[in-house]
Amino acid sequence: MSGQNNIVDQAKLFCVRHKERLTKPRLEVLKIIAASPRPLGAYEILEKLGKILHSPKPPTAYRAIQFWQRKGFIHRIESLKAYVVCNADHRHAGGHFMICDDCGVVIETHIRDLPETFKNSEENNTFSPSSWNVEIHGLCGKCQSS
């Protein structure tokens, strides 16, 4: 629970410093994602939000998800169509995720520099990446032991 409180405290501070509105739906969506031990899909988030707020509509959840994603507090795991809280500094351009195909845990890691192939493309003006998401599927240590 301390991890959830930490991310919520960071989000509150971020909103104050950047003069962003911290609405109840935004705050509750972040809490829901942060409390989950595994990635959550948008409809799972909406369902949990419905237990907190009175009959939220899908756009309410989607707007909150998009807000936190744009601000770098959550990541979308594309292959799972689900969201996880960012465990880093919330300001990195790319994410690297190891996803356990058995239990669903997602481990966020970071490669500080892009591989040379990408750097060369950028230097040669053939491609300039703005963000990236690398997903590696396999088994976590716990599931390997089982």
Side-chain angles (χ1 to χ4, degrees), residues 7-131:
I7 193 78
V8 169
D9 291 343
Q10 289 175 33
K12 287 177 181 178
L13 184 59
F14 173 87
C15 288
V16 168
R17 285 184 177 162
H18 294 91
K19 295 180 174 51
E20 296 283 356
R21 289 182 47 229
L22 184 58
T23 62
K24 185 158 179 70
R26 285 180 179 176
L27 184 60
E28 295 303 330
V29 163
L30 184 61
K31 286 180 181 179
I32 289 166
I33 296 169
S36 179
R38 62 174 184 75
L40 293 174
Y43 277 99
E44 290 175 290
I45 294 167
L46 180 62
E47 182 182 318
K48 291 178 184 294
L49 188 62
K51 294 176 183 175
I52 301 165
L53 304 178
H54 178 67
S55 302
K57 304 288 186 243
T60 302
Y62 280 112
R63 281 192 297 265
I65 290 167
Q66 288 172 346
F67 174 81
W68 292 121
Q69 192 175 7
R70 277 193 321 271
K71 302 305 178 188
F73 280 83
I74 63 172
H75 297 293
R76 178 173 163 86
I77 306 299
E78 296 295 334
S79 63
L80 302 176
K81 297 182 177 111
Y83 300 89
V84 294
V85 72
C86 177
N87 291 317
D89 61 7
H90 316 301
R91 292 283 148 255
H92 52 88
H96 310 90
F97 306 97
M98 294 182 290
I99 304 162
C100 181
D101 291 325
D102 194 20
C103 71
V105 71
V106 173
I107 301 165
E108 182 179 355
T109 63
H110 295 279
I111 301 169
R112 292 290 174 207
D113 295 315
L114 283 174
E116 284 301 314
T117 306
F118 296 118
K119 284 183 182 178
N120 291 340
S121 295
E122 192 168 19
E123 289 169 6
N124 296 331
N125 292 322
T126 58
F127 188 80
S128 180
S130 58
S131 66

